[in-house]
Amino acid sequence: MSCDVAVVGAGAAGLRAATVAARAGLSTVLVDSYERAGGQFYRQPASTPYPPSPTQVEGRELIEAAYAAGVEVRTGTSVWDAAARPDGVTLWLTAGDRLSTLECRTLVVATGAHERVAPFPGWTLPGVHTAGAVQALHKGHGVPVGERVLFAGSGPLLLVAAAGLVETGTRVVEVLEATRPVRAGARHPWATAAGLWRQGERLREGLGGAVRLRRAGTPLRTGWGSVRALGGDRVEGAVVSRVDRDWRPVAGTERTVSCDAIATHYSLVPATELLRLLGARMAHRPELGGWVPTVAASMATSLPGVFAAGDCTGIGGAGLSLVEGELAGLGAVAYVTGREPGRAPLATLRRERRFQRLYGTLFTPQPGLAELATPETVVCRCERVTRATVDAAVAAGARTVQSVKAVTRCGMGPCQGRICLPAITRLADAGPPPEARAPLEPVPFEAVASCG
Amino acid sequence: MSATVRIEVDGREMPARGGASVAAALLATGLPAGLFCGIGVCHGCTATVDGVPGVRTCVTTVAPGMRVRTGGDSS
């Protein structure tokens, strides 16, 4: 099977890129590993006990626009291998146990992001989840993760997810945000003012969340963090403390909080596995979330005919993802047809880029985060590798993430390092970007063998 | 909004809300699901579903008669 444009990831950026390409008359295939299009921000639950939110409605409209433009949408389909050739890209796809290949002349990678988590003592206990998981469970399924939930970490999703939970009657004991946004913003007044310019909706959402928490009697503390989870078989509490500017616990401020679930979240990490597998040039940009592809204004990567858009190019949120998706779609059309690219909404792009810079200023993880793990803390959940093992490897000369991985097996389990490697990046030097190898997703061996 | 379906978990039949993810169905009845990230990234919640090992239960929707085997699945 072949097409003009393949788009990987049916979130904000991918939906918009695919729609732009298909409207220009190009044969366009949009691939997504989930059962339904929408990605994380515009997630479309199979069914939900609650009426659809404005965001879900907006997402449905984006999906309907893609179908109306003639995009072939393939959900439940993951890319497990890929190769860039001079005349295009080959994608190897898996849908359950069915394998197929897709040849495309140009590729748009819009794989989004996932939550950053930091290993801390007790984080592998049942009852510790990411804030995103807690939000997805209650929004999509009406299932609360506990009766007294502690939210601790950094980033707007923490506040939004906590506010959503109290609205449905679940008790949130405290929300602890490591950053002090007002203080950090005051250090960069111009960037802050510019970043918030025409962001009324985001400000309203943030303030609205804070008001809902206040009404529910939930303290929202900035400059605080969780230090460790307590409990035997599952979470029974947490030790929390004030944290300084570098997010290091302030001695003497520790106290114990009683809770039966912990939602953790330290902003987001761009999902760049496919770009790294293809060999796109990468740069380490902590303020954008870590390793990101270097992209031109057209969202073209260093590889001919390969574009990238949305959070996988740097955390910026759905608004920026939509504009970047449009740019990448226009770029892909220009690449295939040889025509001049169409006009992009540059004013919106500039506004969203300013917000992205502010987000980076406020929510980039600080060094103290890497120090929460004690020697016996499991760092790699898949392979059960402890901090002591990683430290020993670094002390023995494994300086880069790649060499730590090779020596300790950290990042070699089924999650392919998506959870632990960002944490290892803070324990070792970043070095070159960690290698991504096929299969990107676990593939049944018989299936690979059968395709010869 | 959606009818209840019946699924089989480790040999025991149980109800699940139609449209729920397998992990949500397990958690709703108090069963540990290993759920951590909730978006199919961490593979902490994998189980054998209808004979297929390593299925991420947080991003798989329940279906009537679905057979889920938890534990012993290290994929």
Side-chain angles (χ1 to χ4, degrees):
Chain A
M1 157 98 201
S2 66
C3 63
D4 293 322
V5 183
V7 181
V8 179
L15 283 165
R16 183 54 68 79
T19 304
V20 167
R23 275 184 189 153
L26 302 186
S27 60
T28 306
V29 178
L30 174 59
V31 180
D32 194 280
S33 63
Y34 294 127
E35 292 174 349
R36 280 167 297 280
Q40 302 305 337
F41 188 75
Y42 292 119
R43 188 197 318 263
Q44 304 288 310
S47 79
T48 144
Y50 310 114
S53 68
T55 306
Q56 283 166 355
V57 172
E58 202 183 316
R60 195 159 58 205
E61 287 165 5
L62 284 168
I63 295 164
E64 281 164 4
Y67 277 105
V71 175
E72 184 190 328
V73 183
R74 289 199 209 167
T75 51
T77 305
S78 306
V79 177
W80 65 273
D81 198 3
R85 308 182 196 291
D87 56 343
V89 176
T90 307
L91 299 176
W92 282 269
L93 308 176
T94 164
D97 52 0
R98 280 170 294 117
L99 297 181
S100 61
T101 57
L102 178 63
E103 306 278 346
C104 56
R105 290 178 65 190
T106 175
L107 170 70
V108 178
V109 179
T111 41
H114 53 257
E115 287 173 274
R116 179 185 286 101
V117 288
F120 57 90
W123 76 307
T124 52
L125 283 172
V128 181
H129 308 277
T130 66
V134 171
Q135 189 188 40
L137 266 180
H138 104 265
K139 248 168 92 172
H141 305 294
V143 178
V145 288
E147 286 165 6
R148 290 160 298 133
V149 189
L150 171 71
F151 279 73
S154 184
L157 179 65
L158 202 63
L159 173 63
V160 171
L165 215 59
V166 297
E167 216 168 13
T168 55
T170 302
R171 193 168 155 227
V172 175
V173 290
E174 288 186 36
V175 179
L176 309 177
E177 163 62 63
T179 290
R180 310 182 89 167
V182 176
R183 204 172 276 198
R187 280 199 294 273
H188 307 274
W190 294 112
T192 303
L196 294 176
W197 179 250
R198 299 211 168 148
Q199 293 289 357
E201 205 175 313
R202 280 186 163 124
L203 275 171
R204 268 195 298 280
E205 190 179 17
L207 291 174
V211 168
R212 285 205 294 281
L213 289 175
R214 201 188 166 88
R215 281 197 193 128
T218 300
L220 166 61
R221 301 185 207 281
T222 60
W224 278 80
S226 70
V227 179
R228 62 178 175 274
L230 304 171
D233 299 332
R234 58 163 299 124
V235 171
E236 289 161 14
V239 175
V240 303
S241 83
R242 262 187 203 286
V243 295
D244 64 16
R245 248 172 88 161
D246 294 329
W247 293 9
R248 291 194 168 91
V250 176
T253 63
E254 291 95 348
R255 60 187 171 82
T256 302
V257 173
S258 171
C259 58
D260 60 358
I262 298 174
T264 179
H265 169 92
Y266 291 93
S267 188
L268 301 163
V269 184
T272 58
E273 292 78 21
L274 177 54
L275 290 161
R276 284 185 277 127
L277 177 72
L278 285 166
R281 193 185 304 132
M282 307 291 291
H284 194 249
R285 303 274 304 275
E287 76 283 9
L288 292 178
W291 287 103
V292 291
T294 53
V295 288
S298 64
M299 305 313 291
T301 68
S302 63
L303 302 168
V306 178
F307 296 78
D311 277 350
C312 72
T313 67
I315 305 308
L320 182 59
S321 294
L322 288 172
V323 190
E324 289 187 351
E326 182 150 354
L327 283 167
L330 293 169
V333 171
Y335 184 86
V336 172
T337 61
R339 293 196 298 259
E340 281 289 299
R343 277 168 56 86
L346 291 179
T348 313
L349 179 67
R350 281 194 290 269
R351 184 191 72 202
E352 293 301 317
R353 282 253 181 271
R354 288 194 297 266
F355 177 78
Q356 182 182 42
R357 276 195 287 277
L358 176 62
Y359 181 94
T361 303
L362 295 183
F363 301 115
T364 300
Q366 300 302 314
L369 193 58
E371 296 161 22
L372 288 176
T374 56
E376 54 278 5
T377 304
V378 165
V379 172
C380 167
R381 300 168 72 95
C382 298
E383 299 287 320
R384 313 291 296 177
V385 181
T386 61
R387 162 104 193 245
T389 306
V390 172
D391 284 347
V394 173
R399 293 273 172 250
T400 66
V401 172
Q402 192 60 36
S403 49
V404 168
K405 188 176 163 184
V407 175
T408 64
R409 293 198 55 78
C410 211
M412 288 195 180
C415 94
Q416 290 279 291
R418 288 173 177 93
I419 299 291
C420 68
L421 289 188
I424 305 301
T425 307
R426 294 189 294 273
L427 294 174
D429 293 335
E435 272 173 41
R437 286 191 205 145
L440 291 177
E441 298 294 334
V443 182
F445 178 74
E446 308 79 39
V448 182
S450 71
C451 71
Chain B
M1 196 156 129
S2 299
T4 299
V5 300
R6 299 200 72 80
I7 62 172
E8 193 190 298
V9 179
D10 297 329
R12 286 187 17 209
E13 209 177 286
M14 59 174 255
R17 196 178 57 79
S21 70
V22 176
L26 295 177
L27 280 168
T29 55
L31 291 168
L35 180 122
F36 179 64
C37 82
I39 61 166
V41 171
C42 78
H43 290 254
C45 66
T46 54
T48 301
V49 175
D50 292 335
V52 181
V55 172
R56 298 169 297 177
T57 59
C58 69
V59 290
T60 303
T61 304
V62 295
M66 186 180 257
R67 297 164 83 118
V68 181
R69 194 160 53 78
T70 66
D73 177 74
S74 56
S75 57

